[in-house]
Structure formats: C-alpha cells, structure tokens
Amino acid sequence: MLCWIFALAAAAGVPAPEAPPPPPRLVIAGGALFGPHAPGEAACQTREGVQRCEHTGNFFGVGANLELRARAVGPLFFHARGAVIGNVRPRPYGAHKGLVDIGLGLGVYSRLAFIRVEYMFVPTFGPSTYRPPFYDKEAGRDVWGRSAGMVSGGVRKYLTPRLAGELWAGLVIGPRSRRTTLQEDAGADRVLVTFLASLGVSFDLIPGRAPPPPKPAPAPAPASPPSSLPTLPTPVLTPESGSVASPPAPVSTPETPSATPTPEAAPPPPGDTVGPWQPAPG
C-alpha cells in the first residue's frame, strides 16, 4: 500500500512531457563518409617454402558528403546529396583514384530516426587500370558504370533545439563492374553490392511552423435569474387518476322570501298579573 502511495505522489510531482516541436522545413547535413567497397583480384605464390599473396584492383572509399533536405508533406522529405570519395588503396594497386556521388531520394523522417531510398549517379575519376598480382605492368582494368541505388536508415540525437548528431548506413546495389585482366578466371562482369555509412551532423535551416492554437469555445449564454415565486409541481396524469370521476359541483339556488307571516307578539295572559299600571289592592 505504501508503494502505491509513493508512486502516486511521485507521478503527481512529475511535470507533463512537452510536445515535440514541428518538423523542420529545410535541413542541411554533412559528415564523413565510408564506402563503397569493391573486391579486387587476389593470387598467392610459394617461393622457397614461403607463401606470398597479393590483392590488387580493389577499391575502398573514404570521403565527405553534404546534403540538403526539404520537407514535402507530413514526415516526407526530399533530399539531394553530393559527396567526393577517394580510394584509400594507392595506385597502381587500386583501380580508380575515387568517385563523385550525386544522390536524389525520398525519405520518412522522425525526430529520432529516418529511412529513405535514393538514386545515385557515381562517375569515377582517375585511371581504371591497375597492376595484377605479381605483375610489373598495369595490365588489369576495371570499368564501372555510373548508376546505383541505395536503401538507407539512420538515427539522430538533438544536441540543441536545431543541431543534431547523425549516424546512417545503407545498402548500395551497383554500379556495374566490367573487369579484364591477364588471368581468365579473374575476369568478371558483375553488379557491385556494397555499402555506404556516414557519421555527421544536421542543422535545421528553417524550423517548422507551430500549428495554430485551437479556437476558444463559445461562451455559454447567461442564465436567467431565478424567480422569487415558488413553482408548483406539474401534475402528472396517471390511468388511476383519469378513471376517478370527480363529484358534480352543487348547484346553487336563489333564496326565495318565505310566505309564512311573521307571528305577532302574544297579549299578556289574563289573571292576577300585576302590572305597573294597576293600583295595589287594599
């Protein structure tokens, strides 16, 4: 019982949570970018009892990206993203020096997480040739297409009312890769399946508009002052009360003068009655 009392007291003292602010209308974001990754060509040789392996023609990108997000309706946002990515595998062992990533997409965003789809235009720069394993010339070539797609999702944490830290990662399908090299078994015509990941920040350039306050309810009509006279209860007719016949009211008759004459005063009786007018006997 005491636990329930303490819980109710604690709940009464906790203020009501504030409503989240409306979603922003325009956001700029950026940060470090990792990927994509493309496996290369690998071979091993054994000389004098020692095995040695080389892996060349691969690509692993590290760079930076910048994107702009515009709110469409509700939680839907359009975004445009640009990135420059370099290959950390040095030449001539790696294919390409890097690539440019231009993406357009649509996503669903909340205050703490988001998910989106994106089309990517990924032209490469630098030579597409590389040195095959245990070879002294750039006899291998890996030519990439320029189109890819990505499905990504991420989380974010607001550090201030408008600045947030973000972490997102996505599955990238494409571009197409056509490799030619000295070894026939190392040649491939493939579609790359790789990834992109980013760690950065976002800033709300144009915050969202708060919804208009609700209209006040109309004031009730003033009540009429109570009457000083008592109110009688309204009679309610019931079957019993309707079946009882009320007695007829008596009929009043006009009074008629009596025909009997009023009797006159009787004369005094004869006898020895003494009156004041008779002399006293002698």
Side-chain angles (χ1 to χ4, degrees), residues 194-250:
T194 180
F195 71 93
L196 280 179
S198 176
L199 177 63
V201 295
S202 67
F203 182 77
D204 299 344
L205 289 177
I206 303 179
R209 293 179 181 176
K215 296 181 179 180
S224 58
S227 176
S228 60
L229 298 177
T231 57
L232 297 178
T234 304
V236 179
L237 297 180
T238 61
E240 292 78 4
S241 63
S243 62
V244 177
S246 58

Side-chain angles (χ1 to χ4, degrees), residues 49-267:
V50 178
Q51 186 180 32
R52 180 185 174 189
C53 296
E54 288 189 357
H55 185 196
T56 62
N58 55 341
F59 185 100
F60 186 82
V62 175
N65 76 122
L66 184 68
E67 66 179 88
L68 195 65
R69 305 168 188 162
R71 182 168 173 257
V73 58
L76 294 178
F77 280 74
F78 290 104
H79 74 269
R81 187 173 57 83
V84 178
I85 301 171
N87 188 4
V88 297
R89 181 65 164 165
R91 296 278 307 158
Y93 301 101
H96 311 290
K97 286 186 176 181
L99 58 86
V100 176
D101 175 15
I102 300 173
L104 298 173
L106 175 68
V108 178
Y109 292 75
S110 71
R111 190 164 178 84
L112 300 178
F114 57 90
I115 185 171
R116 58 191 184 179
V117 295
E118 180 179 323
Y119 166 77
M120 300 167 56
F121 178 67
V122 285
T124 59
F125 58 87
S128 60
T129 57
Y130 64 95
R131 180 181 297 179
F134 306 106
Y135 202 72
D136 57 354
K137 295 181 179 180
E138 297 180 19
R141 181 180 297 272
D142 193 3
V143 180
W144 288 12
R146 296 187 177 184
S147 294
M150 178 173 66
V151 179
S152 62
V155 295
R156 56 184 177 178
K157 173 67 175 178
Y158 271 87
L159 307 176
T160 69
R162 298 174 66 179
L163 180 67
E166 288 190 351
L167 172 65
W168 63 263
L171 174 67
V172 180
I173 300 177
R176 192 177 187 89
S177 169
R178 294 180 178 89
R179 174 183 293 165
T180 56
T181 184
L182 298 176
Q183 302 178 17
E184 294 182 0
D185 57 350
D189 187 357
R190 56 187 177 166
V191 175
L192 298 177
V193 178
T194 180
F195 71 93
L196 280 179
S198 176
L199 177 63
V201 295
S202 67
F203 182 77
D204 299 344
L205 289 177
I206 303 179
R209 293 179 181 176
K215 296 181 179 180
S224 58
S227 176
S228 60
L229 298 177
T231 57
L232 297 178
T234 304
V236 179
L237 297 180
T238 61
E240 292 78 4
S241 63
S243 62
V244 177
S246 58
V251 179
S252 61
T253 56
E255 294 183 0
T256 56
S258 176
T260 305
T262 304
E264 297 180 357

